[in-house]
Amino acid sequence: MLLYYITDRKSLAGTDAQQRSRLLVRIGEAAHAGVDYIQLREKDLAARDLERLARDAARTVRENSATAKLLVNGRADVALASGADGVHLPAGELAASEVRALWMQASDRAPVVAVSAHTIEEVRAAADQGASFAVLAPIFEKAHTDVRPVGIDALRAACASTLRAEFAVLALGGVTLANVEACLAAGAAGVAGIRLFQNGDIVETVRRLRALKHI
């Protein structure tokens, strides 16, 4: 099962500096605990500040795991400059194939390219365009939002809709330890989340998730 932690430093307590510091600690804990991917999703930061944070995050991931990968949300340039492993593309923006081609012009490291999707069609497009995986959201209803969930049936259809054996679909949006099994039963290769990984004991969270990997 693939585990994907999406960051949100603003939800952490303290001043800006304290939030930044606590986020880096959490990133290190996530990598050490066995999370596969960490998306640096700090969209309010200016490019220079985001690059500094990404550099520190990339170093923190490497210090705590030989396998975890850091992706930067929406900024392939920042990801390249900071030594991150790839980029997460918002739905409806650049095609994964374009980003991959641009990346390979500047680096000899093949990138991980994840794509957000909200429909089955967007999942198919991500697969056809060579994305590493798609994150379909929101699967479940979430508090404090008017966005309608796509539901388990759509997740099942999306997982069955692509022909690339190596392409994965992850479930995001209202995913908790209580409903992960439903996502896996629908064919999801893993789960993504902010609160799922940023709150609580991440070692215990990962342990409980890994125990479900054969479902």
Side-chain angles (χ1 to χ4, degrees):
M1 183 199 311
L2 296 175
L3 304 180
Y4 192 12
Y5 164 35
I6 301 169
T7 73
D8 177 16
R9 78 188 194 289
K10 287 297 186 181
S11 70
L12 301 173
T15 64
D16 288 346
Q18 289 170 331
Q19 289 173 336
R20 186 184 192 280
S21 178
R22 286 170 178 157
L23 179 63
L24 289 170
V25 168
R26 194 62 170 183
I27 287 171
E29 291 173 344
H32 189 73
V35 169
D36 299 286
Y37 298 101
I38 299 166
Q39 179 197 150
L40 194 64
R41 187 180 182 272
E42 306 299 328
K43 297 191 292 184
D44 63 304
L45 290 177
R48 181 173 296 181
D49 293 331
L50 179 61
E51 183 180 332
R52 290 194 187 106
L53 179 58
R55 286 184 184 277
D56 290 341
R59 182 173 61 252
T60 299
V61 169
R62 289 193 297 268
E63 288 172 348
N64 284 276
S65 173
T67 57
K69 307 293 185 184
L70 179 73
L71 311 184
V72 177
N73 181 73
R75 295 296 302 261
D77 55 341
V78 172
L80 273 165
S82 64
D85 300 287
V87 62
H88 184 107
L89 301 176
E93 295 197 0
L94 285 174
S97 55
E98 295 177 34
V99 172
R100 191 178 297 279
L102 290 170
W103 183 292
M104 294 307 295
Q105 290 177 9
S107 173
D108 57 1
R109 297 182 298 113
V112 177
V113 182
V115 177
S116 288
H118 306 297
T119 66
I120 295 171
E121 291 73 22
E122 288 177 346
V123 170
R124 288 175 180 158
D128 291 343
Q129 293 164 0
S132 305
F133 59 88
V135 180
L136 182 64
I139 303 304
F140 302 105
E141 188 171 356
K142 297 170 63 180
H144 312 300
T145 178
D146 295 328
V147 178
R148 186 170 181 171
V150 300
I152 285 292
D153 288 343
L155 174 62
R156 182 178 293 106
C159 293
S161 69
T162 65
L163 299 178
R164 281 178 54 205
E166 72 278 14
F167 183 78
V169 179
L170 278 59
L172 169 66
V175 176
T176 68
L177 288 169
N179 59 32
V180 167
E181 289 181 274
C183 298
L184 300 179
V191 292
I194 297 175
R195 290 183 297 275
L196 180 63
F197 297 109
Q198 193 158 280
N199 299 346
D201 183 343
I202 194 167
V203 173
E204 177 63 12
T205 296
V206 171
R207 185 195 69 77
R208 292 178 63 181
L209 289 169
R210 293 294 184 203
L212 303 173
K213 65 183 179 181
H214 297 301
I215 292 176

